[in-house]
Every structure is written in C-alpha cells, then in structure tokens.
C-alpha cells in the first residue's frame, strides 16, 4: 500500500534530504562535535566563523541516541560545532525548524557497477544515501582493485564499496556450464575471491536463483565463503528460492554462514509465493533461531506497493 505523506511532510522530507546532501554528516565527526556542544554559544560571532549554520535541526545522529534539537555549524565541509550557534556566525544559514538532519544513509543493496558513468549519483544523494554497497545478487566486477581504483580518476559523490560475486567468479572460470567445478577450477575460483578480498571486497555475494549461480551446490558456496571469512568478509545472498521453497533457501543461507563461519545477510527478504503469505513468522523464526545459536544473520527488505 502506498505510504501517503502530506505535502508538508513531503517537503519536510525533501528539505531534510537536501540538507543531508549538502553537509554529508560523518557519524564520527558528529559525536565528537556533540561532545563540544556543551560549551556555551559564542556571543557576537562573525560571518567568517563558519561557512554554513543549520538552525533548529532535529538531529538523529545514527548512534541510536534519541533525537535532540540543536544548530549545526559547517566549516571547510566538516561539522565544526553542534549546539546553540549564532546565525550571524556564517554567511549562509538554513532554518531546519521541524526538519530532521541525520548522517547519510548507507544502501547495502545496490547494483551500481556502472556508477562511474554517473558520478553525481544524484538519485541516491537526493534520497539522503551517501554510501553504497554494490556487487549484490551474484553479479560484480571480478577485478575489485581496478573497480575501486577508478575513484582516483573519477571521484564520486558517494562512498562506494563492493562485494565479490559468486556468479561472476564462476562465470569467469566455468562459463555458463551446469556442472560441478573440478578441483582445479575450484582452486581458481577461490583464488579470484581471495584476490578480491585482498583488494578490499566486503564479502561474497550469491545469486542462487540466477544463471550461473544456480548451478552451484551448497558446498561450492561454503568453500568460497570460507575464503571471504578469512578476510573478515560477510556472505550476502539472493537466495535460491523466494517462493514455495523459501524455508529451504533460508536454511541453506544459514548453513553456509555456520559452516564457513561468517555473518550472513539475506537480501530482499520476502515470500513471493501467494500460498505462503502470512508465514513470515516461520521464515523470520529460522533467522531468530540462528541468531540464538550465535550466527550473525541479518536481512534487508524493500517495500512493494
Ligand atoms: Zn537480488
């Protein structure tokens, strides 16, 4: 069902996102600045003190703290101060009365292999997203060093991270063949994952519903996930099934995490089969049980309308 927002609320959200885009708050800076915010406001500040002052912001600092109302001063693109700040201490002020200011959001499930063609990432920035993780669902670059290295020549408006994807790695070694890898092919896949992790990949992704990922049995994924685990990576999965076999698919995801000993992130968690609608207590129950056993397993979800 579409979420209905009043015009005022829409405007309020838009302005808060724009404010986000303008200042791109860094959480660490925010909490450091917050500590300094206890000092009294300067009296008779000069317009040169700061570049920008955001007045009357409802600040959600991203640490889990309750919101608080304060002003934010920005100097040289960094948060210089949070507290009561004289509007006259900067040439530019934004009145954020009734609006929320928060650190940039992190979108952990992006498919932006082509982001260097659109370095402004305007659609993300306008939604308040300032960090992206790409390489999801089994499809990524297989040369992480080259992919991340491009940022030196082509700066992006957002932070970017990538997973290394099983489907792409398998495709490079076995093409689209529907068979198990030989031990030599398995070693080549492991070497590709290892190099990607050394080059900065955040973990391994799979798309077990897609070709060629779907040709892999669980043990193949476990072996590659073990490589990612050695480098502190996580396992993110577009599961083998999101419909009538979803329970088995969740069990497989959890099994991979437990056998390879790494955190599991189940992508776009849902039940797509109408027959199983209403059974999310069962699907989430599998996740809760795994967490009780000590496996760090999380899910993300998008909203259908
Ligand atoms: Zn997916």
């Amino acid at each position: 069902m579409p979420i209905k927002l009043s015009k005022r609320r829409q405007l309020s959200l838009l302005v808060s996102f724009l404010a986000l885009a303008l200042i791109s708050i860094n959480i660490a800076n925010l909490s450091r600045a917050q500590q300094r915010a206890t000092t009294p406001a300067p009296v008779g500040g000069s317009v040169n003190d700061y570049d920008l002052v955001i007045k009357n912001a409802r600040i959600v600092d991203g640490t889990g703290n309750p919101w608080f109302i304060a002003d934010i001063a920005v100097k040289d693109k960094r948060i210089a101060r949070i507290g009561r700040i004289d509007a006259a201490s900067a040439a530019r002020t934004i009145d954020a009365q009734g609006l929320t200011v928060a650190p940039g959001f992190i979108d952990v499930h992006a498919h932006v292999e082509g982001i260097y063609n659109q370095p402004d990432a305007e659609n993300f920035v306008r939604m308040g997203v300032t960090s992206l993780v790409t390489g999801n669902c089994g499809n990524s670059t297989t040369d992480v060093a080259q992919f991340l290295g491009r940022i030196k020549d082509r700066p992006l408006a957002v932070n970017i991270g990538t997973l290394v994807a099983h489907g792409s790695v398998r495709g490079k070694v076995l093409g689209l063949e529907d068979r198990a890898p030989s031990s030599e092919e398995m070693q080549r896949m492991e070497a590709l994952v290892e190099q990607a992790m050394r080059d900065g990949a955040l973990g391994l992704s799979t798309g077990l519903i897609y070709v060629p990922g779907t040709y892999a049995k669980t043990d193949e994924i476990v072996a590659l996930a073990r490589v990612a685990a050695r480098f502190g990576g996580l396992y993110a999965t577009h599961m083998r099934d999101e419909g009538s076999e979803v329970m088995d698919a969740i069990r497989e995801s959890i099994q991979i995490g437990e056998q390879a000993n790494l955190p599991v992130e189940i992508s776009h968690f849902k039940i797509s089969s109408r027959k199983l609608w209403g059974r999310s207590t069962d699907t989430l129950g599998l996740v809760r049980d795994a967490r009780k056993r000590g496996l760090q397993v999380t899910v993300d979800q998008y909203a259908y309308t």
Side-chain angles (χ1 to χ4, degrees), residues 79-95:
I79 294 172
R81 185 182 158 80
I82 293 179
R84 286 194 307 114
I85 302 165
D86 192 343
S89 59
R92 186 158 172 249
T93 59
I94 294 173
D95 184 4

Side-chain angles (χ1 to χ4, degrees), residues 109 111 136-138 206-207 209-210 237-239 242 267-268 270 302:
H109 193 96
H111 293 275
N136 283 280
C137 301
T206 54
I209 210 163
Y210 300 121
T237 181
H238 180 139
M239 296 187 295
E242 296 174 334
S267 304
H268 33 65
K270 62 176 171 289
Y302 45 49

